[in-house]
Amino acid sequence: MRERFVALLPLTHNVDFAHDQILAGVSGLFPSLTSKLRVVRAGGFAEGGEGGPCFLAIGPNVISVHLYPGPPNLGTSEALDMVCPAWFGLRANHPKPYSHVVVQSEQDVNHPAEALAAAAAVSMVATALISIVPVEEIIWKTGQVSIEPQAFQRAALRLTIPEIKVGHWLTWHRCEGPLSPQGRPSLILGSKGLAPFLGRELETVASILPPAEIEKRVQAVTDFLILHGPPVFDDMPLYVPDHDFVRLRLRDRGHLNPKPVLLLRIEAGPAPTEALRKSQGLPATGGFGRRAMT
């Protein structure tokens, strides 16, 4: 069973909110989904914190909304420090949140397409809450990444259009790799937050490309894998439109991650054959295009 998607919303103070406000917010932001919205269990919270959770559905995806006192807990203070973004400043110097809202997917997922829809549903509910409660930040727990609320909202609003980008659900760690045979420095990138989608995190083979170029290519690969979700097997060739030929390998552990990983090698390769396009479910013109919610 893969980890469920959770968005944590620290609040400066409590305000009243209920299921009908959240549902109206989602419908207003994503009008194409209005017919797919329903209340599974009514609920909400008063300004004093009294009340109970509500459960909402976007299509088949059930999302719960809870309110808890105090700041969110990611397990350790080190984890909280890790997700502190540049715009936020030192977390230790920031006022302690009064309470926090937890938005969570409630069903198990076993396929990247199911995971994508569940993550999108959590993002949509969290996005609606940004306009209802005084949110300081959005912490996407599986990726251990903190995002400024308006930036998260802008990213979530793209989830019903073809050119989806999924970077707001992930964070990337980098470390120096071994020197190349020519004595050039190399870089290894590792993901945090990809395992709930694909069952494993991703690491790159040490590369001597410029860091910005590695990040650009890896982001394109992760977008493609989450959006198109081809079954991954060992020594798998993969064509990512407008980018290089890629090979994925299954490894019991990575260099950065002691758990099983997808090892990514970017290679120069031939143009994809029609058979390869069809095996990956690609349109004849290539490109991203599978929607998270339709």
Side-chain angles (χ1 to χ4, degrees):
M1 183 178 68
R2 296 178 185 175
E3 188 175 357
R4 294 180 180 180
F5 297 105
V6 179
L8 306 173
L9 286 62
L11 308 183
T12 56
H13 58 278
N14 280 357
V15 297
D16 295 344
F17 70 92
H19 64 275
D20 54 344
Q21 293 172 278
I22 303 172
L23 211 63
V26 175
S27 180
L29 290 168
F30 306 96
S32 64
L33 301 179
T34 299
S35 64
K36 301 180 183 295
L37 304 177
R38 61 187 174 89
V39 177
V40 177
R41 184 192 302 173
F45 295 89
E47 187 174 346
E50 305 87 358
C54 61
F55 292 75
L56 309 173
I58 303 179
N61 297 285
V62 176
I63 308 300
S64 64
V65 180
H66 302 255
L67 177 70
Y68 296 102
N73 181 15
L74 292 185
T76 66
S77 59
E78 289 78 14
L80 280 172
D81 291 339
M82 185 189 308
V83 302
C84 181
W87 59 266
F88 204 76
L90 293 175
R91 190 176 293 277
N93 295 338
H94 198 274
K96 185 177 180 180
Y98 183 81
S99 60
H100 66 281
V101 174
V102 177
V103 182
Q104 176 173 304
S105 59
E106 291 295 334
Q107 72 280 356
D108 297 332
V109 298
N110 298 296
H111 187 275
E114 297 173 349
L116 175 60
V122 172
S123 292
M124 291 169 179
V125 172
T127 295
L129 280 161
I130 290 172
S131 302
I132 299 171
V133 294
V135 180
E136 292 185 347
E137 61 178 323
I138 306 291
I139 299 174
W140 191 259
K141 190 173 181 181
T142 56
Q144 290 189 341
V145 58
S146 173
I147 309 172
E148 190 270 333
Q150 282 66 45
F152 185 89
Q153 195 171 59
R154 289 193 297 271
L157 287 170
R158 297 184 61 85
L159 291 172
T160 56
I161 65 176
E163 294 80 19
I164 298 170
K165 301 297 181 183
V166 300
H168 63 294
W169 292 329
L170 308 171
T171 190
W172 292 93
H173 304 288
R174 60 168 68 184
C175 77
E176 293 182 0
L179 293 177
S180 74
Q182 295 76 30
R184 298 175 63 183
S186 67
L187 182 68
I188 297 172
L189 254 62
S191 70
K192 175 61 180 175
L194 194 59
F197 293 97
L198 301 175
R200 298 176 180 226
E201 297 296 343
L202 182 145
E203 280 191 14
T204 65
V205 172
S207 174
I208 60 173
L209 289 171
E213 192 64 27
I214 299 173
E215 291 177 5
K216 176 183 175 182
R217 298 182 187 201
V218 170
Q219 288 286 2
V221 171
T222 54
D223 282 351
F224 183 83
L225 287 172
I226 292 176
L227 294 172
H228 292 276
V232 176
F233 55 86
D234 192 33
D235 205 29
M236 173 183 176
L238 185 70
Y239 173 71
V240 179
D242 303 321
H243 286 271
D244 295 286
F245 198 68
V246 169
R247 194 169 294 276
L248 292 172
R249 293 183 170 90
L250 305 181
R251 292 294 180 261
D252 292 336
R253 60 177 294 141
H255 182 81
L256 301 175
N257 191 333
K259 298 180 180 180
V261 298
L262 294 173
L263 190 65
L264 171 68
R265 181 186 295 277
I266 300 168
E267 304 174 346
T273 64
E274 189 62 26
L276 180 57
R277 289 188 187 277
K278 290 180 178 179
S279 71
Q280 294 179 189
L282 290 175
T285 55
F288 302 120
R290 185 167 300 177
R291 301 185 179 202
M293 306 291 294
T294 56

